[in-house]
Amino acid sequence: MYTAKGRLDIDAMLHQYSPLVRRLAHQMIAKLPANVEIDDLIQVGMIGLTDALSRFDAGQGVQFETFATQRIRGAMLDELRGADWMSRGTRKQQRDIESAVHRLEQKLGRPPVESEIAKEMGINLSDYQEMLGKVRGTQLIYLEDMSGDDGDSDYLDRHVADEGNDPLSLLQDHRMREALVEAIKNLPEREQYVMSMYYEQDMNLKEIAAVLGVTESRVCQLHSQSIARLRVKLRAF
């Protein structure tokens, strides 16, 4: 897009590609804890888009959207690194939930209910549900990566930005897809509904909450618990 004087129309380009910024922000926010604000990511992403517009060289043979995506994502990641988006304690809680689910499934031969998981972890149900809300950062597409040790300096890159682990790359693997479908079928019914609406129908938490007649925070808890179950199922895949 160019002005009447033949110059790049920055305002028009910002308007055209702002949906790209929002899309990348929403993809990333699903992998992050609840304290990260979507508006903050979008604001930083727009700065990345502006930087991309100033640096883009069509002569390099790269499409602008590809170039801009890298700049936008990079700006968001820099912001997240500076904000220390996920504490070591949160990562440990995430692994503790998965370990409890795994032990109970081995013991019970069925998916454990929330109260059983809480009891296994030695905490009450309300504390467990609060923990589920805090570890919202877990996302379905990273089920294969279970290392995440404390002090893992590459955690953010591998869990948020690693293009080799993007949804399309992982779900293109036929065996992974089959294992994932089977694991989802074994989830409790309500959690199956949440996963279907979130990933297949692309509904947000507010929309899912309206359908189920619960709060958004409850949907967040159900989503986190579903992910923990799936990670356990696919850990050895």
Side-chain angles (χ1 to χ4, degrees):
M1 294 184 176
Y2 294 90
T3 64
K5 296 182 178 181
R7 298 177 180 176
L8 190 66
D9 190 335
I10 299 296
D11 289 340
M13 292 287 284
L14 287 172
H15 179 75
Q16 179 180 345
Y17 286 98
S18 60
L20 172 63
V21 174
R22 290 193 294 271
R23 184 168 71 248
L24 291 172
H26 280 284
Q27 289 173 355
M28 194 171 287
I29 199 72
K31 311 168 193 180
L32 300 171
N35 64 299
V36 180
E37 297 288 342
I38 186 68
D39 289 344
D40 291 341
L41 284 184
I42 291 174
Q43 182 177 12
V44 173
M46 290 302 293
I47 294 173
L49 174 59
T50 302
D51 181 60
L53 287 168
S54 67
R55 295 175 180 270
F56 181 65
D57 181 0
Q60 296 296 320
V62 178
Q63 290 187 345
F64 176 73
E65 184 165 335
T66 301
F67 179 78
T69 295
Q70 294 174 342
R71 288 284 173 176
I72 294 166
R73 184 182 286 118
M76 292 178 181
L77 287 171
D78 286 344
E79 175 69 13
L80 291 169
R81 289 190 185 94
D84 190 20
W85 67 279
M86 191 175 190
S87 70
R88 292 181 181 181
T90 303
R91 297 180 202 172
K92 183 179 184 300
Q93 289 176 337
Q94 187 173 300
R95 294 195 297 274
D96 287 346
I97 293 171
E98 292 161 14
S99 296
V101 169
H102 177 67
R103 291 193 301 270
L104 287 170
E105 288 189 347
Q106 294 295 309
K107 184 189 305 182
L108 302 173
R110 60 169 172 78
V113 299
E114 284 177 288
S115 59
E116 292 171 332
I117 300 172
K119 184 177 180 180
E120 179 70 17
M121 297 179 68
I123 58 179
N124 61 45
L125 181 58
S126 61
D127 286 343
Y128 172 65
Q129 291 176 337
E130 182 179 351
M131 186 183 297
L132 285 174
K134 289 181 179 178
V135 300
R136 195 192 75 182
T138 319
Q139 192 183 23
L140 179 61
I141 60 173
Y142 298 113
L143 299 172
E144 85 293 349
D145 189 346
M146 300 300 298
S147 55
D149 296 330
D150 287 348
D152 182 356
S153 61
D154 295 326
Y155 189 89
L156 182 62
D157 290 307
R158 290 187 296 102
H159 286 253
V160 179
D162 188 345
E163 294 185 7
N165 284 336
D166 65 66
L168 291 179
S169 297
L170 289 175
L171 297 182
Q172 281 171 353
D173 186 287
H174 184 66
R175 293 182 303 149
M176 168 64 83
R177 185 166 58 250
E178 287 186 339
L180 180 58
V181 169
E182 188 62 30
I184 291 175
K185 287 180 181 178
N186 291 321
L187 289 173
E189 186 176 32
R190 175 165 280 200
E191 292 178 28
Q192 287 187 44
Y193 290 152
V194 170
M195 300 302 282
S196 174
M197 287 185 279
Y198 192 85
Y199 291 102
E200 294 179 21
Q201 301 177 40
D202 199 27
M203 295 171 65
N204 60 39
L205 298 183
K206 184 176 182 179
E207 292 168 335
I208 297 172
V211 172
L212 296 181
V214 298
T215 64
E216 288 184 56
S217 62
R218 181 56 182 155
V219 174
C220 181
Q221 292 168 4
L222 290 171
H223 176 262
S224 295
Q225 187 163 260
S226 302
I227 294 299
R229 296 187 198 275
L230 293 173
R231 286 173 69 95
V232 169
K233 291 293 185 183
L234 301 183
R235 179 176 297 176
F237 180 76

